[in-house]
Amino acid sequence: ADVADAISKAPTAEFIFYDAISTGKGGVVSPIVYEDKLSSYREGVSGGDVASSFVGDLNSFLAVKVAAFFGLVFCLLVDFGFIANAGIEGWLS
């Protein structure tokens, strides 16, 4: 289990792991989720299982980040629409 060994032996790897999962969630991740994920990687049976699980988790955290970005863009477009509508109505009246 290459990923599990790297995480368990190097404190820098734990920091990188925490940074990887927390940046997808707005900079904060629950300590319970962090410890659960870390222990599941450390207890991985084979390197392939741990690596695929790690990649899947990182992809899910990335999906949260992308969804938040698209939600923000949607809200900004709606706000610009309201501003444009108010501007046009104010200009025409």
Side-chain angles (χ1 to χ4, degrees):
D2 296 332
V3 175
D5 290 339
I7 290 174
S8 65
K9 291 180 182 176
T12 307
E14 286 190 28
F15 174 75
I16 292 170
F17 170 70
Y18 181 80
D19 186 51
I21 67 171
S22 65
T23 46
K25 301 239 180 219
V28 178
V29 66
S30 168
I32 297 168
V33 171
Y34 173 72
E35 288 297 324
D36 288 345
K37 294 292 181 184
L38 196 58
S39 65
S40 71
Y41 299 141
R42 286 180 177 160
E43 296 169 0
V45 178
S46 66
D49 293 341
V50 173
S52 65
S53 175
F54 184 68
V55 169
D57 288 339
L58 287 182
N59 284 336
S60 67
F61 296 135
L62 179 63
V64 169
K65 189 175 189 176
V66 168
F69 177 75
F70 282 126
L72 177 65
V73 168
F74 175 75
C75 290
L76 288 173
L77 289 176
V78 168
D79 288 343
F80 287 142
F82 287 143
I83 292 169
N85 188 24
I88 290 170
E89 288 180 7
W91 184 265
L92 295 177
S93 62

